[in-house]
Amino acid sequence: MPITIEKASSEDLKDIHRMILDFATFQRTPEKVSITHEQMVKDKDVFKALIAKDNGNAIGFATYYFGYSSWSGKLLYLDDLYIEEAHRGTGTGHLFMDKLESIAKTEGCKKMRWLVSKWNEPAISFYKKRSASIDSTEYTCEVSF
């Protein structure tokens, strides 16, 4: 069964919370996570996420929200994108980005924007392959539609 990317449901929140904690450790900042599973459930009306599954097992997530840029208009802001280490390099990142770009276009967004850590060379390389412009002053990434 191929890897699937779908909008996260309430049943996925425990897996996403676990992966948020894993991502924070990967980012070397686990102490910064204050979100709880309970808070995510409470915020389910504003919490937007995609989840990647391999044979029904959660292997990654992307959280996002919509915003507005005074310079360009409505945008989709990718908050976090995380794929478990064993599944990196399998095309899952491209599946996430394709799905996010599709959502952004469907919602009438002009851009998609996100941040990437300066030290995360593999992620920077991945985003460049996706034709993202990377502002090295702030490491803000965006794709225009």
Side-chain angles (χ1 to χ4, degrees), residues 2-6 9 12 15 51-60:
I3 293 171
T4 60
I5 305 289
E6 54 197 46
S9 69
D12 296 318
D15 283 328
I51 190 164
K53 293 183 180 179
D54 184 9
N55 290 313
N57 297 311
I59 61 163

Side-chain angles (χ1 to χ4, degrees), residues 40-77:
M40 292 167 65
V41 170
K42 181 180 175 188
D43 294 339
K44 69 180 187 297
D45 292 337
V46 294
F47 181 77
K48 296 185 183 324
L50 299 175
I51 190 164
K53 293 183 180 179
D54 184 9
N55 290 313
N57 297 311
I59 61 163
F61 74 93
T63 54
Y64 65 96
Y65 56 89
F66 297 100
Y68 198 86
S69 167
S70 58
W71 289 17
S72 58
K74 187 175 180 181
L75 59 84
L76 183 147
Y77 190 90

